[in-house]
Amino acid sequence: MPFLVSGNIDLVERSNLRKLEKHLGIILSPHQYPLEQYNLIRASLKQKLDSDTLIRSMTRRELLSFIYILTQFGDVVQKETPDEYLDVENVPVVIEWQAGHYMIPYEVLDFLAQSRVFRNQNYLFALIPALPSKEKKAWLEWIGAGYGRTFPREINHELYFQCRHLQKPFQGKSLVQEESIRLEQLWAPGKNETVDWFYKGIMPFYSSMKELQRSERDPFLLHVLDLIRSGKLVLKRLPEEFGRKEEYQLVSTVEGNTPQLRDTVFSWEEAREEREDFLFR
């Protein structure tokens, strides 16, 4: 998974860190506090990074490489990636943090998640932050990860991490071909007590799905529940219309439709509990 450069510059080769520093117009030093590094990066991203401009500035091969890395949850390993998807030398937000290991830092992903471009195209990294806090916590509980992390950014990153591992066995496949499905098409109001708890505002959606998984017997709906749990389908509220109650749909995520190819597991991922978000300790 990608990681925050802030507080982790020791993990990034100095020559490759300069690429990001030069684009952002900043200097990162191990003598700075992690929060100071984070604020420097975020302030510069706000001033100098625009998703539309970034996309238009890339060549076709660079854009394909950038999008491919996004579909792979923000990082790739050279030996596991087709060569045509590694034309990133001139893409400022992709760094080779170690030889043959490329990523889009979490600071950049968090910033791009605010862009309508990525939310409208249903990238998981952009949909997770848009969910209500109660839904994200309920989702983590369903996955079984808990939510010991108390800050929204940490919860977003934990969900993203868990979904990558849950999605890998699917290899980008599912029985659901639609880009979006209204909840009422799967569970009509008044027909399923457990889902009605969500419709009536009694329980978060992901809590009701957790409960439903224990009792559902329909093989297709059980498959749909697996897709929801792994983030291949994500809850998204429909645009509000005057005089109508809130309506929701499940949208198919870009990452969920793409086979996850990375098999390499980095040591920092296994020990990430020890390196969890340092910014608010």
Side-chain angles (χ1 to χ4, degrees):
M1 294 298 292
F3 54 82
L4 290 166
V5 169
S6 316
N8 294 304
I9 60 175
D10 59 309
L11 295 181
V12 185
E13 291 187 2
R14 188 69 224 182
S15 60
N16 296 321
L17 184 61
R18 263 189 223 108
K19 169 186 172 181
L20 183 66
E21 291 175 317
K22 184 177 179 181
H23 177 71
L24 296 180
I26 60 175
I27 296 176
L28 298 173
S29 164
H31 302 296
Q32 298 162 332
Y33 290 110
L35 184 57
E36 183 181 358
Q37 295 171 352
Y38 181 81
N39 288 336
L40 274 173
I41 294 173
R42 287 288 294 178
S44 185
L45 285 170
K46 189 174 181 179
Q47 290 179 352
K48 299 189 176 184
L49 186 65
D50 174 77
S51 57
D52 291 335
T53 303
L54 175 68
I55 290 170
R56 287 197 299 268
S57 69
M58 297 183 202
T59 66
R60 182 178 178 275
R61 280 178 60 91
E62 289 170 347
L63 182 58
L64 286 174
S65 300
F66 175 66
I67 290 174
Y68 178 77
I69 295 174
L70 285 178
T71 69
Q72 297 298 297
F73 282 77
D75 75 329
V76 296
V77 175
Q78 185 174 10
K79 64 183 180 181
E80 298 170 353
T81 306
D83 290 341
E84 62 267 29
Y85 296 134
L86 280 177
D87 190 354
V88 295
E89 184 176 350
N90 295 316
V91 179
V93 295
V94 177
I95 62 173
E96 186 177 8
W97 60 279
Q98 287 185 10
H101 301 157
Y102 298 83
M103 75 161 181
I104 302 170
Y106 261 141
E107 290 94 338
V108 176
L109 283 174
D110 289 341
F111 183 79
L112 294 177
Q114 303 171 38
S115 168
R116 288 185 181 180
V117 173
F118 298 106
R119 285 202 307 269
N120 291 344
Q121 292 181 9
N122 295 327
Y123 279 89
L124 181 61
F125 77 87
L127 293 177
I128 288 175
L131 286 169
S133 177
K134 65 178 182 180
E135 292 293 358
K136 289 185 278 193
K137 290 178 179 180
W139 191 358
L140 277 178
E141 284 187 336
W142 185 16
I143 290 172
Y147 52 91
R149 295 170 170 79
T150 56
F151 291 91
R153 186 177 302 108
E154 295 172 291
I155 293 174
N156 295 343
H157 294 177
E158 183 67 15
L159 271 172
Y160 199 54
F161 178 88
Q162 296 291 339
C163 285
R164 179 177 204 157
H165 291 282
L166 290 170
Q167 288 186 18
K168 188 170 178 60
F170 286 95
Q171 287 299 299
K173 300 174 183 177
S174 86
L175 299 178
V176 177
Q177 301 301 314
E178 294 85 353
E179 292 185 6
S180 64
I181 309 172
R182 288 187 180 240
L183 285 184
E184 291 85 350
Q185 292 178 256
L186 298 169
W187 298 286
K191 299 294 184 181
N192 187 296
E193 181 183 14
T194 306
V195 185
D196 281 344
W197 293 340
F198 167 65
Y199 289 141
K200 295 176 181 178
I202 299 172
M203 180 180 285
F205 171 75
Y206 287 94
S207 294
S208 66
M209 294 296 100
K210 177 184 177 182
E211 293 299 319
L212 185 60
Q213 193 173 47
R214 296 171 179 170
S215 59
E216 184 59 64
R217 294 293 178 265
D218 184 294
F220 175 73
L221 291 178
L222 282 171
H223 175 70
V224 170
L225 288 167
D226 284 339
L227 300 180
I228 296 170
R229 183 172 180 267
S230 66
K232 287 170 70 65
L233 294 174
V234 173
L235 183 71
K236 190 175 185 180
R237 189 170 67 178
L238 291 166
E240 291 185 21
E241 294 185 21
F242 181 74
R244 296 185 64 177
K245 62 181 179 66
E246 288 185 338
E247 293 184 295
Y248 296 84
Q249 61 182 344
L250 294 169
V251 296
S252 181
T253 61
V254 175
E255 294 91 332
N257 283 318
T258 310
Q260 300 305 312
L261 300 184
R262 175 158 78 83
D263 290 318
T264 299
V265 177
F266 301 116
S267 58
W268 76 265
E269 289 179 309
E270 296 176 332
R272 77 189 196 289
E273 293 297 332
E274 300 172 11
R275 297 185 65 99
E276 68 179 9
D277 221 338
F278 52 81
L279 294 177
F280 303 100
R281 286 179 182 173

